[in-house]
Short mmCIF file of all heavy atoms in Angstrom, two decimals:
data_model
loop_
_atom_site.label_atom_id
_atom_site.label_comp_id
_atom_site.label_asym_id
_atom_site.label_seq_id
_atom_site.Cartn_x
_atom_site.Cartn_y
_atom_site.Cartn_z
N PHE X 1 5.12 -33.84 63.12
CA PHE X 1 5.29 -34.93 64.09
C PHE X 1 5.23 -36.32 63.46
O PHE X 1 5.39 -37.31 64.15
CB PHE X 1 4.25 -34.81 65.20
CG PHE X 1 2.83 -34.82 64.70
CD1 PHE X 1 2.19 -36.00 64.38
CD2 PHE X 1 2.15 -33.62 64.53
CE1 PHE X 1 0.89 -35.99 63.90
CE2 PHE X 1 0.85 -33.61 64.06
CZ PHE X 1 0.22 -34.80 63.73
N VAL X 2 5.00 -36.43 62.16
CA VAL X 2 4.90 -37.74 61.51
C VAL X 2 6.29 -38.34 61.33
O VAL X 2 7.20 -37.69 60.84
CB VAL X 2 4.20 -37.60 60.13
CG1 VAL X 2 4.31 -38.87 59.32
CG2 VAL X 2 2.74 -37.23 60.33
N GLY X 3 6.44 -39.61 61.72
CA GLY X 3 7.70 -40.32 61.50
C GLY X 3 8.81 -39.89 62.44
O GLY X 3 8.60 -39.21 63.43
N HIS X 4 10.02 -40.34 62.11
CA HIS X 4 11.22 -40.03 62.88
C HIS X 4 12.10 -39.09 62.07
O HIS X 4 11.95 -39.00 60.86
CB HIS X 4 12.00 -41.31 63.18
CG HIS X 4 11.20 -42.33 63.94
ND1 HIS X 4 10.86 -42.17 65.26
CD2 HIS X 4 10.65 -43.51 63.54
CE1 HIS X 4 10.14 -43.21 65.66
NE2 HIS X 4 10.00 -44.03 64.63
N GLN X 5 13.04 -38.43 62.75
CA GLN X 5 13.93 -37.52 62.05
C GLN X 5 14.60 -38.22 60.87
O GLN X 5 15.00 -39.38 60.98
CB GLN X 5 14.99 -36.98 63.01
CG GLN X 5 15.80 -35.87 62.39
CD GLN X 5 16.77 -35.24 63.37
OE1 GLN X 5 16.73 -35.50 64.56
NE2 GLN X 5 17.64 -34.41 62.86
N LYS X 6 14.69 -37.52 59.76
CA LYS X 6 15.29 -37.98 58.49
C LYS X 6 14.39 -38.94 57.72
O LYS X 6 14.76 -39.39 56.64
CB LYS X 6 16.67 -38.62 58.70
CG LYS X 6 17.66 -37.70 59.37
CD LYS X 6 18.67 -37.19 58.40
CE LYS X 6 19.72 -36.37 59.09
NZ LYS X 6 19.94 -35.08 58.51
N ASP X 7 13.21 -39.32 58.25
CA ASP X 7 12.27 -40.12 57.45
C ASP X 7 11.81 -39.30 56.25
O ASP X 7 11.76 -38.07 56.32
CB ASP X 7 11.03 -40.50 58.29
CG ASP X 7 11.27 -41.72 59.16
OD1 ASP X 7 12.38 -42.27 59.14
OD2 ASP X 7 10.32 -42.11 59.87
N MET X 8 11.46 -40.00 55.17
CA MET X 8 11.07 -39.34 53.92
C MET X 8 9.65 -39.75 53.52
O MET X 8 9.25 -40.89 53.71
CB MET X 8 11.97 -39.79 52.77
CG MET X 8 13.43 -39.65 53.03
SD MET X 8 13.97 -37.99 52.69
CE MET X 8 15.71 -38.19 52.88
N GLY X 9 8.95 -38.80 52.92
CA GLY X 9 7.66 -39.07 52.29
C GLY X 9 7.70 -38.51 50.88
O GLY X 9 8.12 -37.36 50.69
N ARG X 10 7.32 -39.30 49.88
CA ARG X 10 7.40 -38.85 48.49
C ARG X 10 6.05 -38.92 47.81
O ARG X 10 5.34 -39.91 47.94
CB ARG X 10 8.39 -39.71 47.71
CG ARG X 10 9.81 -39.53 48.16
CD ARG X 10 10.80 -40.36 47.33
NE ARG X 10 12.01 -40.52 48.09
CZ ARG X 10 12.25 -41.54 48.91
NH1 ARG X 10 11.37 -42.50 49.06
NH2 ARG X 10 13.38 -41.61 49.57
N LEU X 11 5.74 -37.85 47.09
CA LEU X 11 4.50 -37.76 46.32
C LEU X 11 4.92 -37.50 44.87
O LEU X 11 5.60 -36.52 44.59
CB LEU X 11 3.66 -36.60 46.87
CG LEU X 11 2.27 -36.43 46.31
CD1 LEU X 11 1.39 -37.64 46.61
CD2 LEU X 11 1.64 -35.16 46.89
N LYS X 12 4.51 -38.41 43.98
CA LYS X 12 4.93 -38.31 42.58
C LYS X 12 3.81 -37.81 41.70
O LYS X 12 2.67 -38.25 41.81
CB LYS X 12 5.35 -39.68 42.05
CG LYS X 12 6.68 -40.13 42.54
CD LYS X 12 7.12 -41.40 41.87
CE LYS X 12 8.46 -41.82 42.43
NZ LYS X 12 8.90 -43.10 41.95
N LEU X 13 4.17 -36.88 40.81
CA LEU X 13 3.27 -36.41 39.77
C LEU X 13 3.71 -37.09 38.49
O LEU X 13 4.82 -36.86 38.01
CB LEU X 13 3.37 -34.89 39.64
CG LEU X 13 2.66 -34.27 38.45
CD1 LEU X 13 1.18 -34.58 38.46
CD2 LEU X 13 2.90 -32.76 38.43
N LEU X 14 2.86 -37.98 37.96
CA LEU X 14 3.19 -38.68 36.73
C LEU X 14 2.85 -37.79 35.55
O LEU X 14 1.72 -37.29 35.43
CB LEU X 14 2.42 -40.01 36.64
CG LEU X 14 2.63 -40.95 37.83
CD1 LEU X 14 1.88 -42.25 37.61
CD2 LEU X 14 4.10 -41.24 38.06
N LEU X 15 3.82 -37.58 34.68
CA LEU X 15 3.63 -36.72 33.51
C LEU X 15 3.57 -37.58 32.26
O LEU X 15 4.48 -38.36 32.00
CB LEU X 15 4.79 -35.73 33.39
CG LEU X 15 5.01 -34.81 34.59
CD1 LEU X 15 6.28 -34.00 34.41
CD2 LEU X 15 3.82 -33.90 34.78
N THR X 16 2.52 -37.43 31.51
CA THR X 16 2.41 -38.16 30.25
C THR X 16 2.25 -37.14 29.13
O THR X 16 1.84 -36.00 29.36
CB THR X 16 1.19 -39.10 30.25
OG1 THR X 16 0.03 -38.34 30.59
CG2 THR X 16 1.37 -40.22 31.27
N ASP X 17 2.59 -37.53 27.96
CA ASP X 17 2.41 -36.71 26.76
C ASP X 17 3.23 -35.42 26.73
O ASP X 17 2.85 -34.46 26.07
CB ASP X 17 0.92 -36.35 26.55
CG ASP X 17 0.04 -37.58 26.50
OD1 ASP X 17 0.51 -38.61 25.99
OD2 ASP X 17 -1.10 -37.51 26.97
N LEU X 18 4.36 -35.37 27.45
CA LEU X 18 5.23 -34.21 27.29
C LEU X 18 6.02 -34.40 26.00
O LEU X 18 6.56 -35.46 25.75
CB LEU X 18 6.21 -34.07 28.46
CG LEU X 18 5.64 -33.66 29.81
CD1 LEU X 18 6.77 -33.33 30.77
CD2 LEU X 18 4.69 -32.48 29.70
N LYS X 19 6.10 -33.34 25.20
CA LYS X 19 6.79 -33.45 23.91
C LYS X 19 8.30 -33.41 24.12
O LYS X 19 8.80 -32.56 24.86
CB LYS X 19 6.39 -32.28 23.01
CG LYS X 19 4.95 -32.32 22.57
CD LYS X 19 4.69 -31.25 21.54
CE LYS X 19 3.22 -31.04 21.36
NZ LYS X 19 2.74 -29.81 21.96
N PRO X 20 9.04 -34.32 23.45
CA PRO X 20 10.51 -34.26 23.53
C PRO X 20 11.00 -32.94 22.93
O PRO X 20 10.33 -32.35 22.09
CB PRO X 20 10.98 -35.44 22.68
CG PRO X 20 9.78 -36.30 22.48
CD PRO X 20 8.58 -35.43 22.64
N LYS X 21 12.17 -32.52 23.37
CA LYS X 21 12.81 -31.30 22.89
C LYS X 21 11.92 -30.07 23.06
O LYS X 21 11.88 -29.19 22.22
CB LYS X 21 13.24 -31.46 21.43
CG LYS X 21 14.26 -32.58 21.26
CD LYS X 21 14.85 -32.57 19.87
CE LYS X 21 16.07 -33.42 19.79
NZ LYS X 21 15.97 -34.79 19.60
N SER X 22 11.20 -30.03 24.17
CA SER X 22 10.38 -28.87 24.52
C SER X 22 10.78 -28.42 25.92
O SER X 22 11.40 -29.17 26.66
CB SER X 22 8.90 -29.24 24.53
OG SER X 22 8.48 -29.67 23.27
N SER X 23 10.39 -27.21 26.28
CA SER X 23 10.63 -26.77 27.65
C SER X 23 9.30 -26.48 28.31
O SER X 23 8.33 -26.08 27.68
CB SER X 23 11.54 -25.56 27.68
OG SER X 23 11.05 -24.54 26.86
N TYR X 24 9.27 -26.71 29.62
CA TYR X 24 8.08 -26.53 30.43
C TYR X 24 8.47 -25.81 31.71
O TYR X 24 9.63 -25.83 32.11
CB TYR X 24 7.44 -27.87 30.79
CG TYR X 24 6.92 -28.61 29.59
CD1 TYR X 24 7.74 -29.49 28.90
CD2 TYR X 24 5.62 -28.43 29.15
CE1 TYR X 24 7.27 -30.16 27.78
CE2 TYR X 24 5.14 -29.11 28.04
CZ TYR X 24 5.96 -29.97 27.36
OH TYR X 24 5.50 -30.62 26.25
N CYS X 25 7.49 -25.23 32.36
CA CYS X 25 7.71 -24.61 33.66
C CYS X 25 6.74 -25.22 34.65
O CYS X 25 5.53 -25.25 34.41
CB CYS X 25 7.48 -23.10 33.57
SG CYS X 25 7.73 -22.27 35.15
N LEU X 26 7.28 -25.74 35.74
CA LEU X 26 6.47 -26.28 36.83
C LEU X 26 6.41 -25.20 37.90
O LEU X 26 7.45 -24.76 38.41
CB LEU X 26 7.12 -27.55 37.39
CG LEU X 26 6.34 -28.25 38.49
CD1 LEU X 26 5.14 -28.98 37.89
CD2 LEU X 26 7.22 -29.22 39.23
N ILE X 27 5.21 -24.74 38.21
CA ILE X 27 5.00 -23.70 39.22
C ILE X 27 4.17 -24.32 40.33
O ILE X 27 3.19 -25.03 40.06
CB ILE X 27 4.27 -22.48 38.61
CG1 ILE X 27 5.07 -21.92 37.43
CG2 ILE X 27 4.07 -21.39 39.67
CD1 ILE X 27 4.34 -20.85 36.64
N PHE X 28 4.55 -24.07 41.57
CA PHE X 28 3.81 -24.67 42.70
C PHE X 28 3.88 -23.75 43.91
O PHE X 28 4.77 -22.92 44.04
CB PHE X 28 4.37 -26.06 43.04
CG PHE X 28 5.84 -26.07 43.36
CD1 PHE X 28 6.28 -26.02 44.67
CD2 PHE X 28 6.78 -26.14 42.34
CE1 PHE X 28 7.64 -26.02 44.97
CE2 PHE X 28 8.14 -26.13 42.62
CZ PHE X 28 8.57 -26.08 43.93
N SER X 29 2.91 -23.91 44.79
CA SER X 29 2.91 -23.20 46.08
C SER X 29 3.45 -24.17 47.13
O SER X 29 3.16 -25.37 47.07
CB SER X 29 1.50 -22.79 46.47
OG SER X 29 0.98 -21.90 45.52
N TYR X 30 4.21 -23.64 48.07
CA TYR X 30 4.74 -24.49 49.13
C TYR X 30 4.80 -23.69 50.42
O TYR X 30 4.82 -22.46 50.41
CB TYR X 30 6.12 -25.04 48.77
CG TYR X 30 7.20 -23.99 48.74
CD1 TYR X 30 7.99 -23.76 49.87
CD2 TYR X 30 7.43 -23.22 47.60
CE1 TYR X 30 8.98 -22.79 49.85
CE2 TYR X 30 8.41 -22.25 47.59
CZ TYR X 30 9.18 -22.04 48.71
OH TYR X 30 10.15 -21.08 48.71
N ARG X 31 4.83 -24.43 51.52
CA ARG X 31 4.95 -23.80 52.83
C ARG X 31 5.72 -24.72 53.77
O ARG X 31 5.45 -25.92 53.83
CB ARG X 31 3.56 -23.54 53.40
CG ARG X 31 3.59 -22.80 54.71
CD ARG X 31 2.22 -22.38 55.12
NE ARG X 31 1.49 -23.55 55.64
CZ ARG X 31 0.45 -23.47 56.44
NH1 ARG X 31 -0.03 -22.30 56.78
NH2 ARG X 31 -0.14 -24.54 56.89
N LEU X 32 6.70 -24.14 54.47
CA LEU X 32 7.42 -24.85 55.53
C LEU X 32 7.12 -24.08 56.80
O LEU X 32 7.65 -22.99 57.01
CB LEU X 32 8.92 -24.87 55.25
CG LEU X 32 9.30 -25.74 54.05
CD1 LEU X 32 10.24 -25.02 53.12
CD2 LEU X 32 9.89 -27.04 54.50
N ALA X 33 6.21 -24.62 57.61
CA ALA X 33 5.76 -23.92 58.81
C ALA X 33 6.24 -24.68 60.04
O ALA X 33 6.07 -25.89 60.13
CB ALA X 33 4.23 -23.84 58.81
N GLY X 34 6.85 -23.97 60.98
CA GLY X 34 7.30 -24.60 62.21
C GLY X 34 8.81 -24.60 62.34
O GLY X 34 9.54 -24.56 61.36
N GLU X 35 9.27 -24.64 63.57
CA GLU X 35 10.70 -24.65 63.87
C GLU X 35 11.31 -26.01 63.53
O GLU X 35 10.79 -27.04 63.94
CB GLU X 35 10.87 -24.36 65.38
CG GLU X 35 12.29 -24.16 65.83
CD GLU X 35 12.90 -22.85 65.35
OE1 GLU X 35 12.14 -21.91 65.09
OE2 GLU X 35 14.14 -22.80 65.24
N LYS X 36 12.38 -26.03 62.75
CA LYS X 36 13.09 -27.27 62.38
C LYS X 36 12.13 -28.32 61.81
O LYS X 36 12.20 -29.50 62.16
CB LYS X 36 13.86 -27.83 63.57
CG LYS X 36 14.92 -26.88 64.05
CD LYS X 36 15.72 -27.44 65.21
CE LYS X 36 16.79 -26.46 65.61
NZ LYS X 36 17.26 -26.60 66.95
N VAL X 37 11.23 -27.88 60.91
CA VAL X 37 10.21 -28.78 60.36
C VAL X 37 10.78 -29.81 59.39
O VAL X 37 10.23 -30.89 59.25
CB VAL X 37 9.05 -27.96 59.73
CG1 VAL X 37 9.50 -27.32 58.44
CG2 VAL X 37 7.82 -28.81 59.53
N GLY X 38 11.89 -29.49 58.74
CA GLY X 38 12.49 -30.44 57.81
C GLY X 38 12.78 -29.79 56.47
O GLY X 38 12.98 -28.58 56.38
N LYS X 39 12.81 -30.62 55.41
CA LYS X 39 13.17 -30.14 54.07
C LYS X 39 12.11 -30.55 53.06
O LYS X 39 11.51 -31.62 53.19
CB LYS X 39 14.50 -30.74 53.63
CG LYS X 39 15.68 -30.27 54.43
CD LYS X 39 16.96 -30.88 53.92
CE LYS X 39 18.11 -30.43 54.80
NZ LYS X 39 19.36 -31.08 54.45
N LEU X 40 11.96 -29.74 52.05
CA LEU X 40 11.13 -30.07 50.90
C LEU X 40 12.05 -30.04 49.68
O LEU X 40 12.77 -29.07 49.47
CB LEU X 40 10.00 -29.05 50.73
CG LEU X 40 9.11 -29.23 49.50
CD1 LEU X 40 8.37 -30.57 49.54
CD2 LEU X 40 8.11 -28.08 49.38
N ARG X 41 12.04 -31.14 48.93
CA ARG X 41 12.87 -31.24 47.73
C ARG X 41 12.00 -31.63 46.55
O ARG X 41 10.97 -32.28 46.73
CB ARG X 41 13.94 -32.32 47.90
CG ARG X 41 14.92 -32.09 48.98
CD ARG X 41 15.97 -33.20 48.98
NE ARG X 41 16.78 -33.11 50.16
CZ ARG X 41 16.62 -33.85 51.25
NH1 ARG X 41 15.67 -34.75 51.32
NH2 ARG X 41 17.41 -33.70 52.29
N VAL X 42 12.47 -31.27 45.36
CA VAL X 42 11.79 -31.69 44.13
C VAL X 42 12.83 -32.37 43.25
O VAL X 42 13.93 -31.84 43.03
CB VAL X 42 11.15 -30.50 43.40
CG1 VAL X 42 10.46 -30.97 42.12
CG2 VAL X 42 10.18 -29.76 44.30
N PHE X 43 12.46 -33.55 42.75
CA PHE X 43 13.32 -34.33 41.85
C PHE X 43 12.61 -34.50 40.51
O PHE X 43 11.39 -34.67 40.48
CB PHE X 43 13.58 -35.73 42.42
CG PHE X 43 14.39 -35.76 43.66
CD1 PHE X 43 13.80 -35.61 44.91
CD2 PHE X 43 15.77 -35.94 43.61
CE1 PHE X 43 14.54 -35.64 46.07
CE2 PHE X 43 16.53 -35.98 44.78
CZ PHE X 43 15.91 -35.82 46.01
N LEU X 44 13.39 -34.50 39.43
CA LEU X 44 12.86 -34.87 38.12
C LEU X 44 13.31 -36.29 37.84
O LEU X 44 14.41 -36.69 38.20
CB LEU X 44 13.39 -33.93 37.03
CG LEU X 44 13.01 -32.46 37.19
CD1 LEU X 44 13.62 -31.63 36.06
CD2 LEU X 44 11.50 -32.30 37.21
N ALA X 45 12.46 -37.06 37.17
CA ALA X 45 12.72 -38.49 36.96
C ALA X 45 14.04 -38.75 36.25
O ALA X 45 14.73 -39.71 36.56
CB ALA X 45 11.59 -39.11 36.16
#
């Protein structure tokens, strides 16, 4: 119920000290509960 339809909320995880030319795996738990609750997206900087 927070905000209006299509409003966005962003939470950033700042990453420091990642080595160049390396690979990492980001693992997370998520839940979308409720009818037409919206979308969850993940962006890399």
